[in-house]
Amino acid sequence: MGGIDNHDSYSDAYLRRQLNSIKAVALVGASPNWNRPSYFVMKYLQEKGYRIYPVNPRAAGTEILGEKVYASLAEIPDNYDMVDIFRNSEVAGAITDEAIDLKDSKNIKLVWMQLTVRNDAAALRAEAAGLQVIMDRCPKIEFGRLNCELSWGGFNSKVITAKRRKVRIG
Amino acid sequence: MSPKPINDKSQNYGFETRMIHAGAQPEPITGARQTPIHQNTSYVFHDADHAASLFNLQTFGFIYSRLTNPTVAVLEERIANLEDGRGATCCASGHAAQILTFFAIMEPGDSFIASNRLYGGSITQFGKTFKKFDWQATFVDVDDPENVRNALTPNCKAIFVESLANPGGVVSDLESLSEIARDAGVPLIVDNTMATPYLCRPFEWGADLVVHSTTKFLSGNGTSVGGCVVDSGRFNWAQNDKFTGLAAPEPAYHGLNFYESFGDMAFTTHAHAVGLRDLGSTMAPMNAFHTLLGCETLALRMERHCENARKVAEFLESHPNVAWVSSAALPSSPYYELARKYMPKGAGAVFTFGVKGGYDVGIKVVDNCEIFSHLANIGDAKSLILHPASTTHRQLTEEQRIAAGAGPDVIRLSVGLETIDDITADLDQALRAASN
Ligand SMILES: Cc1ncc(COP(=O)(O)O)c(C=O)c1O
C-alpha cells in the first residue's frame, strides 16, 4: 500500500489501518518521569496491548513501566513495526534515517512523529524507502479518538456513525 | 482485528446531521439508539493500576460523575462538534460555565475586559461576586473595539463579549475583537447563548473559547438549567507567562503541566480534572439528556424562532403604541450589517422594544398578555415576555441598566414557535389594552 498525498491531514481510515496493523513500538525519547507526555503515551499504549520498547540514551539500562530502556533503535534485540519519535523536528530527521537503515532487519513499517514534530524531508526519505509516515499526531490521542475514548472527556472526535460497534464482553 | 467500516466524510457532514449524531453512537453493548441516561455516580476500575492511570490522567475513562459522566460527555461532544471546537465541558448552569472558564485562566489580582452590554446576571456575577475572588472586571462599550484596546492592562487575562447580546439586539464585532485579543496574547471568550452555533460560529471569527447557557435555545423547551464552555483548541497558553494554571506545573496535580501534556486538549482536560473536581458545579445526567433532545432539533427551531421574531419586530415597528424596536433583524438597527455578517441565517429570537408611556405601561403590557408567558428566561418553544428593569436587571444601577439596554420602558421578548398570527395578535391586544 502506497504512502499518502500530503501530511496536513490524515483520513480516519488511514490512521485506523496503521494503528490496527502494528503490534510493537520503539518509543524514542521515552521519559522515566511519570508526568511527562511520553510516559502517558507509553502507559496508554501498553494498556491497549502494544509492546513498547523505550529508547533513551540517558536512561539506558534502567526500566520504564517494566520495559528495559535501550540507548538506540539498533540496540533493541526484537523486531518492532513502528518508531514513535518524541524528539524535536530536527532530531527526528536523524532518527528517521536510523529507522530507514534498520527497516529490513527490524521489520519496521511506520515512522510516527509526535504532536508538533514534523520533518517533511525525512518523511520523503522514509516514504522512498517504503515506510509509512505520520507526523504531528499522537498515537494515544488518535487511538482514543477512533475508539470513542476521547469522547468520554468531552472531546470532539469528529467520528459520526450510526453503526453499532462490536465489543467483546467479558 | 479486521478493519471496521470507516467513514472519512465525518468532518464534512452538515450541521443538521451533526446536531443529531455528533457524540452519540449507538450504545455498543445493548444497541440502544437513544443516548442512555447514566444516572450513576461512580465507575468500576479494572484493577489498581487502571485506577492509578485514571487518577494520573494517563488514560481516558470515568472515575466519578462530579468530573465526567457518559451522558454528559455525549452532550459535551455534541456542542464541541457544533461549534467546531476541540472539546467542551458542561456544567450546572451558564453562570457555572463562566466561573469554570475564568477559574482556569485567572489568578487573584487579575483582571479581564467585558462588554458593558451583557446579560444583567453576568454583569452582576463579574462585577460583584468575582470581586470576592479578587478578579476585576472592566466593563467597556465594545461597539468601538478601540475602547477594548485602550482598556488593556498587563494583568488583563481575557476579553469577554456576547455574540448577540441579551437583551438588546446588539451584535459584537467578533473579528475586530479577536484581533485585539490576539495582539494582547489573551483569549477572546464569546457567550454564544443567544445565537447558538446554528446562527453564529465564533471560532471562525477568531474567538478562543465559547460559553453557553444551555438552559436557553440548546435545550429549547425550558426544562433544564445547564452551561457549557467550549475550547477551540487554538489558543497557545504558553505564549506568555499569563496562564500559570494551564501552562505551568499544577500543584494540584503533582506538578503536571497541562498544556505541555495535553496540547490542544489542555483547557478541556483542566476544566474537568481541576475545575469540576474542585468547584463541583457538575451538570446532572438527566439535564444533559434533555439538552441532547433539544440539540436534535436546533436548526429547525432556530429557523422558525428567527422567522417569527423578525415578523414580530416588523409588526411592532409599525405599531402605534410602540416607541422603538431594537432588533438586529431590522434594517433600521445599527447592528443590522454586523448581524448579516456574523449571523447570516438570522438575528435570533430575543429582542427588546420600548412602549410609549414608559415603566407603568410596560408593566401593564406584560400583565395583559395571554399567550406570552411572563417569566425570566429566554429560548423556549413558548413565547416569553419580561420587563427587565423590574426583574433580571433589577440589581444594576440605573446607568448600568440603560447601558445594558434595559431602561424603564424596555420590554424583552423571546419569540417562540407558536402560530405567528397568534403571537402578533396577543401583543397587539396587550399593547392596546395597556395604553387605554
Ligand atoms: C446570554 C446569557 N448568558 C448567560 C446566562 C446565564 O445562564 P444560566 O441562567 O444558565 O446560569 C444567561 C441566562 O439568562 C444568558 O441569557
Side-chain angles (χ1 to χ4, degrees):
Chain A
M1 205 166 306
I4 49 167
D5 299 341
N6 77 75
H7 288 279
D8 296 328
S9 69
Y10 303 98
S11 72
D12 288 355
Y14 176 74
L15 293 168
R16 215 186 281 257
R17 204 158 57 230
Q18 299 305 327
L19 286 166
N20 285 346
S21 68
I22 56 153
K23 291 188 178 65
V25 177
L27 198 157
V28 183
S31 169
N33 190 345
W34 81 268
N35 65 15
R36 304 296 302 166
S38 63
Y39 191 98
F40 279 40
V41 168
M42 179 165 172
K43 187 149 200 262
Y44 182 80
L45 293 179
Q46 279 183 327
E47 268 167 30
K48 300 303 170 194
Y50 296 100
R51 175 83 192 265
I52 311 292
Y53 298 95
V55 176
N56 179 346
R58 278 176 297 137
T62 65
E63 275 193 5
I64 300 176
L65 289 163
E67 291 286 358
K68 184 178 168 198
V69 182
Y70 297 96
S72 69
L73 285 175
E75 282 175 29
I76 300 172
D78 304 329
N79 285 355
Y80 45 91
D81 318 285
M82 167 172 143
V83 175
D84 186 12
I85 304 178
F86 257 100
R87 302 291 309 277
N88 69 40
S89 300
E90 198 191 325
V91 179
I95 297 163
T96 303
D97 290 332
E98 273 179 71
I100 294 169
D101 288 343
L102 295 165
K103 177 176 87 81
D104 295 326
S105 60
K106 297 296 175 194
N107 207 15
I108 303 169
K109 299 190 195 74
L110 171 64
V111 172
W112 189 310
M113 300 183 202
Q114 280 289 331
L115 273 176
T116 73
V117 185
R118 179 162 176 166
N119 186 323
D120 285 79
L124 279 175
R125 296 197 294 277
E127 282 163 351
L131 290 166
Q132 302 286 335
V133 178
I134 295 170
M135 296 189 286
D136 192 20
R137 290 287 186 285
C138 171
K140 174 188 168 187
I141 292 173
E142 296 306 322
F143 188 101
R145 186 175 72 80
L146 295 168
N147 291 285
C148 296
E149 292 192 2
L150 205 66
S151 304
W152 295 343
F155 293 100
N156 180 8
S157 70
K158 299 189 180 172
V159 175
I160 290 201
T161 176
K163 292 257 184 286
R164 180 170 172 182
R165 273 197 309 148
K166 294 238 177 336
V167 288
R168 199 162 48 96
I169 301 169
Chain B
M1 199 168 33
S2 65
K4 301 182 189 85
I6 307 298
N7 198 329
D8 285 328
K9 294 201 300 286
S10 46
Q11 281 142 50
N12 302 325
Y13 280 121
F15 189 93
E16 291 80 359
T17 306
R18 296 186 285 134
M19 76 189 185
I20 293 167
H21 287 281
Q25 299 183 18
E27 202 282 308
I29 294 183
T30 60
R33 177 61 272 216
Q34 188 50 279
T35 300
I37 302 163
H38 288 272
Q39 192 66 39
N40 178 58
T41 58
S42 325
Y43 306 83
V44 178
F45 307 121
H46 292 302
D47 51 38
D49 192 48
H50 179 229
S53 286
L54 283 167
F55 277 98
N56 285 342
L57 306 178
Q58 287 158 335
T59 192
F60 309 110
F62 300 100
I63 298 175
Y64 186 62
S65 287
R66 177 160 19 89
L67 285 73
T68 54
N69 167 281
T71 309
V72 178
V74 173
L75 178 62
E76 291 173 332
E77 180 166 9
R78 178 78 47 89
I79 299 173
N81 187 294
L82 295 180
E83 289 284 5
D84 273 319
R86 184 66 176 116
T89 311
C90 282
C91 50
S93 67
H95 267 14
Q98 290 170 185
I99 294 191
L100 196 63
T101 303
F102 284 106
F103 175 72
I105 60 184
M106 302 282 281
E107 298 296 324
D110 284 345
S111 69
F112 65 98
I113 297 169
S115 164
N116 64 356
R117 259 169 301 188
L118 299 175
Y119 160 59
S122 297
I123 290 184
T124 305
Q125 184 193 40
F126 293 172
K128 298 271 193 305
T129 298
F130 276 16
K131 281 216 175 89
K132 299 199 172 186
F133 309 146
D134 201 10
W135 299 343
Q136 180 68 42
T138 307
F139 295 103
V140 303
D141 180 349
V142 304
D143 273 0
D144 181 357
E146 286 313 302
N147 290 341
V148 176
R149 205 185 290 277
N150 294 336
L152 286 167
T153 55
N155 69 350
C156 172
K157 296 293 177 74
I159 298 168
F160 186 101
V161 299
E162 289 174 3
S163 49
L164 179 63
N166 178 4
V170 173
V171 180
S172 299
D173 186 354
L174 300 181
E175 196 173 17
S176 307
L177 290 164
S178 75
E179 233 177 82
I180 294 168
R182 204 163 38 248
D183 290 349
V186 301
L188 174 66
I189 307 170
V190 175
D191 182 337
N192 203 27
T193 299
M194 293 256 294
T196 81
Y198 181 67
L199 299 179
C200 179
R201 317 191 45 77
F203 293 152
E204 286 178 10
W205 302 106
D208 301 292
L209 296 162
V210 161
V211 293
H212 280 284
S213 167
T214 63
T215 315
K216 320 299 181 191
F217 296 96
L218 291 179
S219 72
N221 293 91
T223 60
S224 308
V225 174
C228 185
V229 48
V230 190
D231 177 26
S232 67
R234 290 198 306 239
F235 191 81
N236 178 355
W237 301 104
Q239 65 181 281
N240 47 41
D241 56 9
K242 286 178 187 279
F243 305 102
T244 49
L246 290 161
E250 166 60 67
Y253 261 104
H254 310 292
L256 185 71
N257 179 321
F258 275 78
Y259 191 54
E260 185 183 66
S261 296
F262 302 110
D264 65 358
M265 296 158 59
F267 183 92
T268 301
T269 305
H270 187 278
H272 287 95
V274 182
L276 288 179
R277 184 192 67 177
D278 296 344
L279 298 175
S281 49
T282 306
M283 176 183 275
M286 183 64 97
N287 282 9
F289 176 78
H290 282 296
T291 308
L292 279 165
L293 293 186
C295 288
E296 290 192 4
T297 56
L298 181 64
L300 291 174
R301 287 185 292 106
M302 291 315 289
E303 270 172 20
R304 184 61 64 85
H305 271 302
C306 288
E307 184 189 326
N308 282 359
R310 183 180 46 78
K311 287 180 178 164
V312 172
E314 286 164 358
F315 167 79
L316 290 173
E317 199 170 38
S318 59
H319 197 283
N321 302 114
V322 170
W324 52 267
V325 179
S326 170
S327 157
L330 296 176
S332 58
S333 163
Y335 301 98
Y336 182 69
E337 289 305 326
L338 283 176
R340 292 200 353 153
K341 172 173 175 177
Y342 292 112
M343 39 208 77
K345 292 203 198 89
V350 179
F351 67 92
T352 52
F353 68 95
V355 284
K356 289 184 183 161
Y359 196 96
D360 297 333
V361 177
I363 285 179
K364 275 199 232 158
V365 170
V366 171
D367 279 343
N368 278 309
C369 280
E370 200 56 49
I371 294 178
F372 274 82
S373 307
H374 179 199
L375 55 75
N377 192 22
I378 57 170
D380 196 317
K382 299 166 259 318
S383 287
L384 313 175
I385 190 165
L386 186 81
H387 184 241
S390 59
T391 55
T392 49
H393 289 61
R394 202 184 177 90
Q395 266 72 36
L396 305 188
T397 63
E398 180 74 15
E399 191 190 5
Q400 280 179 315
R401 274 202 288 268
I402 289 169
D409 61 336
V410 177
I411 290 180
R412 179 184 78 185
L413 301 181
S414 175
V415 178
L417 306 177
E418 299 95 337
T419 308
I420 180 63
D421 292 343
D422 294 338
I423 299 173
T424 49
D426 193 32
L427 285 171
D428 187 39
Q429 64 79 20
L431 279 162
R432 289 178 198 281
S435 307
N436 280 334

